[in-house]
C-alpha cells in the first residue's frame, strides 16, 4: 500500500502537467470529443479558399489556357517538377496530389496569418490565427508525411524496406530508428517555429511603430512563409523518394 500511493501521486502529477495550456483556447464539444475550434475554423477557411480557387479556375477549360487557367497550370507544373525532382521520373506521378496538397495548404495557411485580420473576429476565448501557427497542425502534417513515406517504402519494396535499418551495418540500427522519429519532429517544429516567430515579430513591430516599419516586415513574412511551404513539400517528397530507393 505504501508503494502504490507514491505511484498514484506521480501519475496524478503527470496528468496535471499534461493539462497545462499556454493562453486561452476556444473549444467545441462534438459528441464525446473536445475540438480545438480555433484551428478547425481557420483550417476550413483555408480549405474553402483552395476549393473555391480550383473550382473557379477550372470552370471553362480551354486548349490554349488564359487567365486563371494559365495560373493554375503554372502552379501544377511547378508542383510536378518539384515532385519529379525529388522522387524520380518513374515514380513521381501518384505522389503529385499529396505533395501539391501539402504545399498549397501550408502556403495559403501561412499567408492567411500575414494577410487576414483574424484578430478582429471575437471569440469567447482565445483568438484566431493561421492554422500553421498551432503545433497541432504542423505535427499532424508531419505525421501524414511519415505515414506517406512508410507506405511508399512498403508498397514499393515490401518487407525488404526494413532492411534499410541495418544498412550499412547493424550497429547503426538504433540511429536509423531514431532518424524516423526525428524527421517528423524537425518538419513540425521548423514550420511551427518559423511561422510563430514571424507573427510575433510583426505583432511587436505593429504595437511599437504602427505605420511604416511593419509593412516591409509583412512582405518579408510573405516571402519566408512561401519558403517554409516549399521546404516542407520538398522534404516530404525527398523522404518519399528515399523510402523507395533500393528496389531491384
Amino acid at each position: 500500500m505504501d508503494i502504490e500511493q507514491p505511484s498514484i501521486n506521480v501519475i496524478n502529477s503527470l496528468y496535471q502537467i499534461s493539462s497545462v495550456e499556454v493562453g486561452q483556447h476556444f473549444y467545441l464539444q462534438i459528441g464525446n470529443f473536445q475540438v480545438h475550434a480555433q484551428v478547425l475554423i481557420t483550417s476550413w477557411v483555408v480549405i474553402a479558399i483552395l476549393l473555391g480557387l480550383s473550382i473557379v479556375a477550372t470552370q471553362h477549360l480551354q486548349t490554349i489556357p488564359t487567365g486563371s487557367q494559365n495560373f493554375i497550370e503554372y502552379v501544377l507544373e511547378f508542383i510536378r517538377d518539384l515532385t519529379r525532382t525529388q522522387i524520380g521520373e518513374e515514380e513521381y506521378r501518384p505522389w503529385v496530389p499529396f505533395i501539391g496538397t501539402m504545399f498549397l495548404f501550408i502556403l495559403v495557411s501561412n499567408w492567411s496569418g500575414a494577410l487576414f485580420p483574424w484578430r478582429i473576429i471575437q471569440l469567447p476565448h482565445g483568438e484566431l490565427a493561421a492554422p500553421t501557427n498551432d503545433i497541432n497542425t504542423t505535427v499532424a502534417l508531419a505525421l501524414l508525411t511519415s505515414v506517406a513515406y512508410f507506405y511508399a517504402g512498403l508498397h514499393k519494396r515490401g518487407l525488404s524496406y526494413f532492411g534499410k535499418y541495418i544498412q550499412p551495418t547493424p550497429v547503426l540500427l538504433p540511429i536509423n530508428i531514431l532518424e524516423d522519429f526525428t524527421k517528423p519532429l524537425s518538419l513540425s517544429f521548423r514550420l511551427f517555429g518559423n511561422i510563430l516567430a514571424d507573427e510575433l515579430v510583426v505583432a511587436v513591430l505593429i504595437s511599437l511603430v504602427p505605420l511604416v516599419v511593419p509593412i516591409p516586415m509583412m512582405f518579408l513574412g510573405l516571402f519566408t512563409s512561401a519558403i517554409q511551404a516549399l521546404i516542407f513539400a520538398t522534404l516530404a517528397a525527398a523522404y518519399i523518394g528515399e523510402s523507395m530507393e533500393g528496389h531491384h
Side-chain angles (χ1 to χ4, degrees):
M1 192 70 179
D2 295 335
I3 298 176
E4 291 180 357
Q5 189 61 38
S7 300
I8 294 173
N9 291 335
V10 169
I11 293 173
N12 288 334
S13 299
L14 291 174
Y15 178 78
Q16 292 173 0
I17 292 173
S18 67
S19 63
V20 172
E21 295 182 353
V22 179
Q24 293 184 331
H25 300 284
F26 176 49
Y27 293 99
L28 290 178
Q29 193 73 27
I30 301 178
N32 296 324
F33 299 97
Q34 239 186 6
V35 180
H36 193 173
Q38 293 159 260
V39 176
L40 190 66
I41 292 170
T42 53
S43 296
W44 275 104
V45 169
V46 171
I47 293 171
I49 292 172
L50 291 173
L51 287 175
L53 289 175
S54 62
I55 292 172
V56 170
T58 56
Q59 281 294 313
H60 304 288
L61 296 178
Q62 300 174 356
T63 306
I64 302 177
T66 58
S68 59
Q69 182 186 345
N70 199 17
F71 174 73
I72 291 296
E73 290 192 10
Y74 173 80
V75 173
L76 177 60
E77 190 64 29
F78 173 78
I79 294 170
R80 288 179 60 185
D81 289 342
L82 169 65
T83 310
R84 180 169 51 238
T85 302
Q86 300 299 324
I87 297 179
E89 184 68 36
E90 297 180 358
E91 306 290 343
Y92 83 95
R93 291 183 183 276
W95 294 102
V96 171
F98 177 77
I99 300 300
T101 301
M102 283 287 185
F103 173 74
L104 292 175
F105 179 80
I106 294 172
L107 177 66
V108 177
S109 295
N110 293 349
W111 280 8
S112 72
L115 298 176
F116 287 8
W118 291 113
R119 289 175 176 80
I120 66 173
I121 301 175
Q122 299 295 322
L123 296 177
H125 301 285
E127 59 185 18
L128 296 177
T132 45
N133 192 22
D134 190 281
I135 188 65
N136 298 295
T137 304
T138 59
V139 168
L141 294 172
L143 289 177
L144 282 175
T145 302
S146 296
V147 171
Y149 72 71
F150 274 116
Y151 168 79
L154 290 171
H155 181 73
K156 179 70 177 177
R157 300 167 56 187
L159 294 178
S160 64
Y161 168 77
F162 295 106
K164 72 166 192 168
Y165 291 105
I166 56 174
Q167 298 295 332
T169 171
V171 176
L172 295 178
L173 175 64
I175 296 177
N176 290 332
I177 293 175
L178 184 62
E179 182 184 7
D180 282 335
F181 287 95
T182 57
K183 283 178 180 177
L185 281 175
S186 64
L187 281 175
S188 58
F189 280 100
R190 180 190 296 108
L191 179 60
F192 168 70
N194 280 281
I195 300 306
L196 178 63
D198 179 64
E199 291 198 3
L200 288 176
V201 168
V202 173
V204 170
L205 287 176
I206 288 175
S207 64
L208 296 176
V209 189
L211 293 178
V212 180
V213 176
I215 296 176
M217 293 301 299
M218 290 177 68
F219 282 110
L220 179 62
L222 292 177
F223 176 73
T224 56
S225 297
I227 293 298
Q228 289 304 316
L230 179 61
I231 290 173
F232 194 102
T234 302
L235 288 176
Y239 292 156
I240 293 170
E242 179 187 0
S243 69
M244 292 190 289
E245 289 178 355
H247 178 68
H248 300 287

